[in-house]
Amino acid sequence: MKIKFRILNYIVLIVLYLLCTELFIKLDEALHVDSVLLTLGAGFFLLNTLNAFITLKLKPILNITIALFIASLSLYSAVQIGAAEFFPNADPYGILTAILSNIILSILFWEIAHQLKTRNKAIQL
């Protein structure tokens, strides 16, 4: 995949993550799930699965596995970073920090997946 397409893909992912985070939280409140992490995880998994099928174009089970791995690892890391209270005065609850770290880590993991795909043709089973 060309670098211009990847950069455009990352910009679209950033916008989608920012817009969908609020949507997923409202969906959690409407469904009375009472577990925002479960709703966010499922929502980001769906976004990542769609992105995997569009950009990676591997076998379906491999796309779904990569999307699940990226969604779960980035959300877990974002929760841990948000709980660390890096900016207690600017973001007292760590919510903005967690959202931004989730976006940054997801983009980082997607770039790792793209690099692995281009460098290792054996991944295309």
Side-chain angles (χ1 to χ4, degrees), residues 6 23 46 70 85 88 91 96 117:
R6 278 204 326 255
L23 177 72
L46 290 176
I70 289 174
E85 297 180 8
D91 188 18
L96 184 62
K117 181 189 175 205

Side-chain angles (χ1 to χ4, degrees), residues 76-93:
Y76 173 76
S77 300
V79 168
Q80 296 302 319
I81 290 172
E85 297 180 8
F86 286 123
F87 308 106
N89 295 334
D91 188 18
Y93 299 107

Side-chain angles (χ1 to χ4, degrees), residues 12-77:
V12 168
L13 276 178
I14 289 170
V15 171
L16 278 176
Y17 268 80
L18 284 173
L19 294 176
C20 290
T21 301
E22 184 180 351
L23 177 72
F24 295 148
I25 292 172
K26 286 182 180 179
L27 180 67
D28 179 68
E29 292 172 357
L31 294 176
H32 303 292
V33 177
D34 295 332
S35 177
V36 176
L37 291 178
L38 181 66
T39 309
L40 285 174
F44 290 141
F45 169 67
L46 290 176
L47 283 177
N48 285 333
T49 303
L50 180 66
N51 186 42
F53 278 106
I54 292 172
T55 59
L56 288 181
K57 298 177 183 169
L58 299 172
K59 292 201 173 203
I61 191 71
L62 200 52
N63 281 337
I64 292 171
T65 305
I66 290 172
L68 180 64
F69 177 73
I70 289 174
S72 60
L73 189 60
S74 62
L75 191 60
Y76 173 76
S77 300

